[in-house]
Amino acid sequence: MRCKRIGAGAALAAGALAVAGLAFAPAALAVTPQTATITADCGGFGSGEATLTATQEGTAAALTLTSAITAPIALGEDSIASTLTLVKSGGGTVDFTGTKNPAMAAGAPVEVGPLSGTVASGDSLEAFGGSLRMTVFGITITCTATGPQSPGPFVFD
């Protein structure tokens, strides 16, 4: 009988610890929307629709951009140095930077990211008015949004 009571007590203690862990665990932070689209103009390199995908963990945020603009030549993995500048609703900008990109064949859609940046709770960030600068083989390409992103700015928790 004594073994059963110890086993039941241990199970209750483990359950209580699990519930307490959930109660004190940090809340998952989210950005809304997680995906937005823009129409971008990259000058002589083309223009078209691009999709931005955002994630957030605490004050760290990351953005990935996939574009309708295609790579003119094959590009190796992590060969594009990128800075995506988004405009804050209250003024100022936030830069997301990095050299992350998948390998791309000639003619494939250009994808960069995840690009890392720092956000504060409540930040509302928009691509329109900002830019994407990509440096490939020493050539810098600057793209700008031609209108507001849809469905709206990224709002970080």
mmCIF file of all heavy atoms in Angstrom, residues 17-40:
data_model
loop_
_atom_site.group_PDB
_atom_site.id
_atom_site.type_symbol
_atom_site.label_atom_id
_atom_site.label_comp_id
_atom_site.label_asym_id
_atom_site.label_seq_id
_atom_site.Cartn_x
_atom_site.Cartn_y
_atom_site.Cartn_z
ATOM 1 N N LEU A 17 4.092 20.264 -11.126
ATOM 2 C CA LEU A 17 5.240 20.971 -11.707
ATOM 3 C C LEU A 17 4.990 21.309 -13.169
ATOM 4 O O LEU A 17 5.345 22.396 -13.630
ATOM 5 C CB LEU A 17 6.507 20.122 -11.579
ATOM 6 C CG LEU A 17 7.135 20.086 -10.194
ATOM 7 C CD1 LEU A 17 8.295 19.098 -10.162
ATOM 8 C CD2 LEU A 17 7.598 21.456 -9.764
ATOM 9 N N ALA A 18 4.380 20.401 -13.897
ATOM 10 C CA ALA A 18 4.090 20.660 -15.313
ATOM 11 C C ALA A 18 3.123 21.830 -15.460
ATOM 12 O O ALA A 18 3.311 22.712 -16.294
ATOM 13 C CB ALA A 18 3.520 19.412 -15.986
ATOM 14 N N VAL A 19 2.080 21.856 -14.636
ATOM 15 C CA VAL A 19 1.106 22.954 -14.686
ATOM 16 C C VAL A 19 1.762 24.268 -14.291
ATOM 17 O O VAL A 19 1.563 25.297 -14.925
ATOM 18 C CB VAL A 19 -0.113 22.637 -13.784
ATOM 19 C CG1 VAL A 19 -0.986 23.857 -13.599
ATOM 20 C CG2 VAL A 19 -0.914 21.488 -14.377
ATOM 21 N N ALA A 20 2.603 24.237 -13.253
ATOM 22 C CA ALA A 20 3.301 25.459 -12.829
ATOM 23 C C ALA A 20 4.238 25.942 -13.935
ATOM 24 O O ALA A 20 4.352 27.139 -14.183
ATOM 25 C CB ALA A 20 4.083 25.204 -11.547
ATOM 26 N N GLY A 21 4.902 25.011 -14.614
ATOM 27 C CA GLY A 21 5.787 25.389 -15.715
ATOM 28 C C GLY A 21 5.026 26.081 -16.820
ATOM 29 O O GLY A 21 5.488 27.056 -17.402
ATOM 30 N N LEU A 22 3.836 25.598 -17.131
ATOM 31 C CA LEU A 22 3.019 26.256 -18.149
ATOM 32 C C LEU A 22 2.581 27.637 -17.696
ATOM 33 O O LEU A 22 2.536 28.579 -18.478
ATOM 34 C CB LEU A 22 1.784 25.397 -18.475
ATOM 35 C CG LEU A 22 2.056 24.136 -19.291
ATOM 36 C CD1 LEU A 22 0.773 23.308 -19.404
ATOM 37 C CD2 LEU A 22 2.583 24.479 -20.658
ATOM 38 N N ALA A 23 2.241 27.766 -16.439
ATOM 39 C CA ALA A 23 1.762 29.048 -15.920
ATOM 40 C C ALA A 23 2.856 30.112 -15.950
ATOM 41 O O ALA A 23 2.584 31.289 -16.176
ATOM 42 C CB ALA A 23 1.239 28.886 -14.506
ATOM 43 N N PHE A 24 4.116 29.702 -15.735
ATOM 44 C CA PHE A 24 5.203 30.672 -15.677
ATOM 45 C C PHE A 24 6.033 30.731 -16.947
ATOM 46 O O PHE A 24 6.984 31.479 -17.041
ATOM 47 C CB PHE A 24 6.117 30.371 -14.477
ATOM 48 C CG PHE A 24 5.426 30.599 -13.164
ATOM 49 C CD1 PHE A 24 5.067 29.533 -12.361
ATOM 50 C CD2 PHE A 24 5.098 31.882 -12.758
ATOM 51 C CE1 PHE A 24 4.418 29.741 -11.163
ATOM 52 C CE2 PHE A 24 4.443 32.100 -11.557
ATOM 53 C CZ PHE A 24 4.107 31.024 -10.762
ATOM 54 N N ALA A 25 5.680 29.941 -17.942
ATOM 55 C CA ALA A 25 6.400 29.968 -19.213
ATOM 56 C C ALA A 25 6.158 31.303 -19.902
ATOM 57 O O ALA A 25 5.068 31.868 -19.820
ATOM 58 C CB ALA A 25 5.918 28.834 -20.124
ATOM 59 N N PRO A 26 7.178 31.846 -20.598
ATOM 60 C CA PRO A 26 6.961 33.116 -21.293
ATOM 61 C C PRO A 26 5.927 32.936 -22.403
ATOM 62 O O PRO A 26 5.861 31.902 -23.049
ATOM 63 C CB PRO A 26 8.333 33.448 -21.881
ATOM 64 C CG PRO A 26 9.080 32.168 -21.886
ATOM 65 C CD PRO A 26 8.504 31.313 -20.796
ATOM 66 N N ALA A 27 5.119 33.943 -22.574
ATOM 67 C CA ALA A 27 4.091 33.895 -23.614
ATOM 68 C C ALA A 27 4.760 33.916 -24.984
ATOM 69 O O ALA A 27 5.752 34.605 -25.189
ATOM 70 C CB ALA A 27 3.154 35.086 -23.473
ATOM 71 N N ALA A 28 4.237 33.147 -25.882
ATOM 72 C CA ALA A 28 4.756 33.150 -27.251
ATOM 73 C C ALA A 28 4.409 34.485 -27.902
ATOM 74 O O ALA A 28 3.289 34.968 -27.786
ATOM 75 C CB ALA A 28 4.145 32.003 -28.043
ATOM 76 N N LEU A 29 5.391 35.074 -28.510
ATOM 77 C CA LEU A 29 5.172 36.354 -29.175
ATOM 78 C C LEU A 29 4.832 36.105 -30.629
ATOM 79 O O LEU A 29 5.307 35.160 -31.241
ATOM 80 C CB LEU A 29 6.417 37.222 -29.057
ATOM 81 C CG LEU A 29 6.805 37.585 -27.622
ATOM 82 C CD1 LEU A 29 8.099 38.364 -27.613
ATOM 83 C CD2 LEU A 29 5.716 38.383 -26.960
ATOM 84 N N ALA A 30 4.019 36.965 -31.136
ATOM 85 C CA ALA A 30 3.586 36.782 -32.521
ATOM 86 C C ALA A 30 3.613 38.108 -33.250
ATOM 87 O O ALA A 30 3.465 39.165 -32.660
ATOM 88 C CB ALA A 30 2.188 36.200 -32.553
ATOM 89 N N VAL A 31 3.787 38.005 -34.534
ATOM 90 C CA VAL A 31 3.711 39.168 -35.413
ATOM 91 C C VAL A 31 2.494 38.948 -36.305
ATOM 92 O O VAL A 31 2.220 37.828 -36.721
ATOM 93 C CB VAL A 31 5.007 39.339 -36.235
ATOM 94 C CG1 VAL A 31 5.332 38.095 -37.035
ATOM 95 C CG2 VAL A 31 4.935 40.539 -37.143
ATOM 96 N N THR A 32 1.754 40.006 -36.537
ATOM 97 C CA THR A 32 0.600 39.907 -37.438
ATOM 98 C C THR A 32 0.667 41.032 -38.452
ATOM 99 O O THR A 32 1.035 42.145 -38.086
ATOM 100 C CB THR A 32 -0.743 39.995 -36.680
ATOM 101 O OG1 THR A 32 -0.741 41.162 -35.863
ATOM 102 C CG2 THR A 32 -0.965 38.780 -35.823
ATOM 103 N N PRO A 33 0.368 40.786 -39.689
ATOM 104 C CA PRO A 33 0.220 39.463 -40.287
ATOM 105 C C PRO A 33 1.576 38.783 -40.359
ATOM 106 O O PRO A 33 2.612 39.440 -40.225
ATOM 107 C CB PRO A 33 -0.311 39.771 -41.683
ATOM 108 C CG PRO A 33 0.287 41.105 -42.009
ATOM 109 C CD PRO A 33 0.308 41.853 -40.697
ATOM 110 N N GLN A 34 1.600 37.491 -40.581
ATOM 111 C CA GLN A 34 2.881 36.796 -40.729
ATOM 112 C C GLN A 34 3.411 36.915 -42.157
ATOM 113 O O GLN A 34 4.603 36.793 -42.385
ATOM 114 C CB GLN A 34 2.730 35.329 -40.334
ATOM 115 C CG GLN A 34 2.487 35.176 -38.848
ATOM 116 C CD GLN A 34 2.352 33.719 -38.448
ATOM 117 O OE1 GLN A 34 1.864 32.894 -39.211
ATOM 118 N NE2 GLN A 34 2.784 33.418 -37.247
ATOM 119 N N THR A 35 2.514 37.154 -43.104
ATOM 120 C CA THR A 35 2.905 37.271 -44.509
ATOM 121 C C THR A 35 2.230 38.489 -45.128
ATOM 122 O O THR A 35 1.057 38.748 -44.857
ATOM 123 C CB THR A 35 2.490 36.009 -45.296
ATOM 124 O OG1 THR A 35 3.086 34.881 -44.674
ATOM 125 C CG2 THR A 35 2.943 36.071 -46.733
ATOM 126 N N ALA A 36 2.977 39.228 -45.937
ATOM 127 C CA ALA A 36 2.433 40.382 -46.652
ATOM 128 C C ALA A 36 3.050 40.417 -48.043
ATOM 129 O O ALA A 36 4.127 39.858 -48.272
ATOM 130 C CB ALA A 36 2.737 41.676 -45.902
ATOM 131 N N THR A 37 2.368 41.074 -48.960
ATOM 132 C CA THR A 37 2.899 41.221 -50.317
ATOM 133 C C THR A 37 3.095 42.693 -50.647
ATOM 134 O O THR A 37 2.402 43.564 -50.102
ATOM 135 C CB THR A 37 1.963 40.585 -51.372
ATOM 136 O OG1 THR A 37 0.685 41.196 -51.268
ATOM 137 C CG2 THR A 37 1.835 39.092 -51.173
ATOM 138 N N ILE A 38 4.057 42.937 -51.517
ATOM 139 C CA ILE A 38 4.322 44.286 -52.022
ATOM 140 C C ILE A 38 4.604 44.164 -53.516
ATOM 141 O O ILE A 38 4.924 43.087 -54.020
ATOM 142 C CB ILE A 38 5.532 44.957 -51.332
ATOM 143 C CG1 ILE A 38 6.814 44.124 -51.540
ATOM 144 C CG2 ILE A 38 5.260 45.216 -49.865
ATOM 145 C CD1 ILE A 38 8.093 44.825 -51.122
ATOM 146 N N THR A 39 4.494 45.270 -54.199
ATOM 147 C CA THR A 39 4.992 45.367 -55.562
ATOM 148 C C THR A 39 6.267 46.187 -55.466
ATOM 149 O O THR A 39 6.268 47.281 -54.897
ATOM 150 C CB THR A 39 3.967 46.036 -56.490
ATOM 151 O OG1 THR A 39 2.779 45.246 -56.469
ATOM 152 C CG2 THR A 39 4.494 46.109 -57.905
ATOM 153 N N ALA A 40 7.353 45.630 -55.990
ATOM 154 C CA ALA A 40 8.662 46.276 -55.857
ATOM 155 C C ALA A 40 9.230 46.642 -57.215
ATOM 156 O O ALA A 40 9.009 45.951 -58.210
ATOM 157 C CB ALA A 40 9.620 45.341 -55.131
#
